[in-house]
């Protein structure tokens, strides 16, 4: 900006600006001349499914223990937002049957594209973990429960550093082959950039249809939305995120973790893509949980919209 | 997908756009040291200060002293903002060799900001550009509100193209297109650039994305995919947004450099030294960095 005095002048409030969806989404919706349309942002999926991992991935990485009634209220608020998938399970162990009895509708298995990460996290090799998951996924199938597979360290590992796209593909293919309906590829420490996101997806998409893939980007280095955009440009249509960007990074003290659902929805709305999600309601849920855990939101949209 | 540029020139606006929007006034030696550290980090362009009236922007009151005190590294340019002819003359007398002028794609924003219409602002620019040409001074043109205006709301790509074209044809060597309130998303960026690129060669364009809604890096990526190879940013993401209390402002240079390095794009910037400059200025301002890269202590 030029010589703008720091005092706020009379202008539209942000609530007003946000409500003017017309001018946020108009540019894509009202594309006049197909011949003029740049091929860059055509080819994006029309519908994007957001998998909300705040109650699980988010809260589990927050220091404050959240009382059950707060968690329930949080999940209830999220259920009003239009989000079609809200992850509430915490982990899968050999004792997952009680969780199923408690009403779980889906299970998740967590693999990794790094031997060191696998060893440190679940105390076994990748191969051993896959054998365990085979049993779990098979049993779940018998009970009519779908299984979602996660691949951690898809763009880098806190112990091994670089992870090859081939390794990610191998692990993903294994999980998909054993019956996982969807594979969520996670940039666990948020080190990825659009270049290696593209290379990794190029490799994985040779073995697994894009319709069965999701990306789970952490915003530790501020790269999440740029990486997600790259994935969308390649045809991925399922994206994981967490309201308020809950959940720090356990590998980098002070660093941020998940990409904020609010900021993701803002981008997808602007791109004219359907999510079925009401941004205001998401912001309200975010405001609720941040007050409950006594922390400031990691969502820039929320920061810009709520009076500090 | 469009091929990405092999090199990107980063225009560091922290000492000007960043500091001007920070509440705490920073003493001259701190500003000079910041600029020195940014020079050491290898940034090719560092906007040093603004020759605006101290009545409007007290933070920039020491503009002449800053410009005279900085050590100029060879190969690095140190443009300064000049809102009017008098500012321009003072800047040149203080040693400026490049200046920046600010237009906007919104009538209301122009009226509220500099109390005239867009057309009248062109007349002001004309006097600066003529003087600059006579003195051999380079002029960079900024267009504000390219993806939205805090007063008018929606801004048409055609209007942005019109203003940008006018400033380019008047003699600005480069036009920086600014998403002043950070409301833009990648589709809007694409549409705006498509319109502007019909009038101005892409090599003369830059993008200046604010991160108020977390969209800056995604918007910058799309600009790169369309061939833009000059990007403005601010160390530590300095500078809040004057239109939204508590909101963030500029894209953090560290986070931009991280992405470009990951993409194999050459910038000439040493990230480690840049991080040091960010740490220094945040300590001086007594504020936390807005750069995620700086916040993350886990090094790969």
């Amino acid at each position: 900006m030029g010589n703008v005095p720091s005092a706020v002048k009379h202008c539209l409030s942000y609530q007003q600006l946000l409500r003017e969806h017309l001018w946020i989404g108009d540019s894509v919706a009202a594309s006049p001349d197909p011949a003029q349309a740049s091929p860059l942002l055509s080819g994006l999926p029309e519908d994007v499914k957001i998998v909300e991992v705040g109650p699980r991935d988010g809260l589990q990485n927050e220091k404050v223990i959240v009382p059950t009634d707060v968690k329930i209220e949080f999940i209830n608020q999220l259920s009003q937002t239009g989000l079609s998938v809200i992850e509430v399970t915490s982990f899968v162990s050999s004792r997952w049957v009680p969780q199923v009895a408690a009403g779980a509708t889906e299970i998740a298995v967590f693999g990794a594209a790094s031997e060191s990460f696998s060893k440190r996290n679940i105390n076994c090799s990748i191969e051993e973990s896959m054998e365990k998951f085979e049993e779990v996924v098979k049993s779940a199938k018998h009970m009519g429960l779908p299984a979602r597979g996660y691949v951690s360290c898809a763009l880098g590992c806190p112990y091994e550093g670089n992870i090859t796209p081939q390794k990610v593909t191998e692990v993903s293919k294994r999980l998909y082959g054993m019956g996982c309906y969807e594979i969520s590829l996670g940039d666990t420490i948020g080190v990825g950039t659009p270049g290696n996101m593209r290379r990794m997806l190029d490799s994985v998409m040779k073995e697994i249809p894009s319709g069965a893939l999701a990306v789970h980007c952490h915003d530790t280095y501020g790269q999440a939305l740029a990486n997600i955009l790259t994935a969308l440009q390649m045809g991925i249509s399922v994206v994981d995120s967490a309201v308020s960007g809950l959940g720090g990074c356990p590998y980098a003290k002070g660093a941020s973790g998940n990409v904020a659902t609010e900021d993701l929805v803002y981008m997808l709305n602007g791109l004219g893509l359907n999510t079925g999600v009401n941004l205001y309601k998401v912001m309200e849920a975010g405001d609720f949980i941040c007050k409950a855990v006594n922390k400031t939101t990691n969502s820039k949209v929320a920061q810009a919209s709520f009076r500090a | 997908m469009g091929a990405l540029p092999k090199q990107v020139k980063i225009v560091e606006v922290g000492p000007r756009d960043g500091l001007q929007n920070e509440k705490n006034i920073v003493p001259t030696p701190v500003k000079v040291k910041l600029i020195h550290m940014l020079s050491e980090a290898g940034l090719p362009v560092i906007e040093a200060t603004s020759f605006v009236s101290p009545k409007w922007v007290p933070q920039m009151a020491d503009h002449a002293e800053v410009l005279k005190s900085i050590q100029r590294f060879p190969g690095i340019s140190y443009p300064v903002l000049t809102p009017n002819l008098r500012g321009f003359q003072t800047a040149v007398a203080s040693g400026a060799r490049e200046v920046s002028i600010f237009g906007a794609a919104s009538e209301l924003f122009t009226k509220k900001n500099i109390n005239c219409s867009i057309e009248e602002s062109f007349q002001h620019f004309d006097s600066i550009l003529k003087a600059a040409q006579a003195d051999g001074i380079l002029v960079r043109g900024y267009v504000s509100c390219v993806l939205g205006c805090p007063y008018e709301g929606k801004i048409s790509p055609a209007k942005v193209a019109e203003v940008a074209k006018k400033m380019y044809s008047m003699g600005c060597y480069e036009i920086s297109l600014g998403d002043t309130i950070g409301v833009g998303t990648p589709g809007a960026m694409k549409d705006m650039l498509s319109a502007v690129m019909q009038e101005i060669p892409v090599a003369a364009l830059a993008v200046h994305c604010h991160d108020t809604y977390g969209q800056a890096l995604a918007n910058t990526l799309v600009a790169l995919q369309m061939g833009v190879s000059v990007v403005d940013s601010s160390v530590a993401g300095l500078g809040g947004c004057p239109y939204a209390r508590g909101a963030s402002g500029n894209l953090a240079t560290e986070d931009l450099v991280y992405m470009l390095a990951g993409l194999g794009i050459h910038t000439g910037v040493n990230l480690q030294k840049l991080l040091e400059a960010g740490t220094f200025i945040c300590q001086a301002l007594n504020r936390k960095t807005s750069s995620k890269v700086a916040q993350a202590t886990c090094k790969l």
Side-chain angles (χ1 to χ4, degrees), chain A residues 207-308:
Chain A
E207 305 289 344
I208 301 175
S210 63
L213 292 173
V215 289
H216 183 115
C217 296
H218 277 198
D219 204 36
T220 321
Y221 290 84
Q223 308 297 303
L225 278 185
N227 290 341
I228 289 166
L229 179 64
T230 301
L232 293 171
Q233 287 176 327
M234 293 180 73
I236 302 297
S237 62
V238 184
V239 182
D240 300 358
S241 61
V243 157
S244 297
L246 283 181
C249 176
Y251 304 96
K253 209 187 317 254
S256 63
N258 285 297
V259 66
T261 303
E262 298 94 319
D263 300 1
L264 171 65
V265 171
Y266 185 94
M267 181 174 80
L268 297 175
N269 282 352
L271 286 166
L273 308 181
N274 298 323
T275 60
V277 176
N278 181 317
L279 177 55
Y280 299 110
K281 294 215 163 128
V282 172
M283 281 165 57
E284 279 170 6
D287 192 46
F288 166 78
I289 196 63
C290 284
K291 286 192 168 89
V293 303
N294 194 28
K295 67 165 279 179
T296 45
T297 181
N298 281 326
S299 156
K300 293 241 167 154
V301 170
Q303 280 166 32
S305 310
F306 288 108
R307 290 279 171 259

Side-chain angles (χ1 to χ4, degrees), chain A residues 16-57:
Chain A
Q16 275 174 282
L17 285 175
L18 279 182
R19 262 174 224 133
E20 294 187 21
H21 286 296
L22 284 176
W23 68 268
I24 288 173
D26 214 6
S27 59
V28 176
S31 247
D33 181 1
Q36 269 195 339
S38 156
L40 275 175
L41 293 183
S42 57
L44 293 179
E46 269 176 37
D47 300 292
V48 173
K49 178 175 85 174
I50 297 177
V51 175
E52 171 59 42
V53 300
R56 200 259 317 151
D57 190 355

Side-chain angles (χ1 to χ4, degrees), chain B residues 7-224:
Chain B
Q7 338 205 91
V8 163
K9 176 176 85 174
I10 297 178
V11 174
E12 171 59 47
V13 300
R16 200 271 312 157
D17 191 358
L19 287 184
Q20 140 180 331
N21 283 304
E22 289 289 330
K23 285 193 177 56
N24 297 334
I25 303 288
V26 156
T28 311
V30 170
K31 290 186 178 110
V32 171
K33 179 158 183 201
L34 171 65
I35 292 166
H36 188 87
M37 290 178 85
L38 292 169
S39 300
E40 300 227 289
L43 289 152
V45 183
I46 302 166
E47 228 183 34
T49 187
S50 174
F51 280 77
V52 65
S53 163
K55 186 175 63 176
W56 288 118
V57 188
Q59 180 78 273
M60 299 283 122
D62 55 359
H63 42 235
E65 205 188 329
V66 167
L67 194 55
K68 286 176 185 154
S69 310
I70 57 171
Q71 180 189 339
R72 292 171 187 261
F73 281 50
I76 297 182
S77 52
Y78 301 90
V80 298
L81 202 169
T82 54
N84 50 43
L85 187 59
R86 186 174 55 207
F88 171 81
Q89 288 160 344
T90 314
V92 173
S94 307
R97 291 182 216 139
E98 182 177 326
V99 301
S100 313
I101 59 176
F102 269 75
S106 154
E107 282 292 354
L108 262 180
F109 188 86
T110 305
K111 191 101 189 93
K112 299 264 188 185
N113 237 30
I114 52 178
N115 202 25
C116 64
S117 69
I118 293 181
E119 190 54 46
E120 286 163 342
S121 73
F122 290 151
Q123 289 161 20
H124 297 312
F125 298 153
D126 198 50
S127 58
I128 298 176
L129 281 156
K130 286 202 163 69
Q133 201 177 34
D135 293 342
I137 307 284
L138 284 172
V139 181
R140 187 187 208 226
Y142 281 82
V143 181
S144 302
C145 299
V146 300
L147 298 181
C149 170
Y151 309 105
E152 287 188 14
K154 184 178 166 152
I155 297 291
S156 75
K159 190 70 188 175
V160 179
E162 185 194 313
V163 173
K165 181 183 178 178
K166 180 77 185 182
M167 293 178 76
Y168 183 66
S169 65
M170 285 167 70
C172 294
Y173 78 95
E174 191 171 89
I175 304 294
S176 171
L177 303 161
D179 180 12
T180 306
I181 46 173
V183 288
T185 45
M189 171 63 83
K190 175 215 86 175
D191 285 348
M192 183 276 296
L193 283 175
S194 297
V196 175
M197 281 163 62
Q198 288 183 11
E199 308 290 350
I200 301 176
V202 69
L205 293 176
V207 290
H208 183 115
C209 298
H210 276 200
D211 205 34
T212 321
Y213 290 84
Q215 310 295 306
L217 212 52
N219 291 341
T220 300
L221 179 63
V222 165
L224 294 171

Side-chain angles (χ1 to χ4, degrees), chain B residues 263-277:
Chain B
L263 285 166
I265 294 174
H266 181 258
T267 60
V269 177
N270 179 317
L271 181 56
Q272 194 47 49
K273 294 204 164 141
L274 178 62
L275 285 164
E276 285 164 23

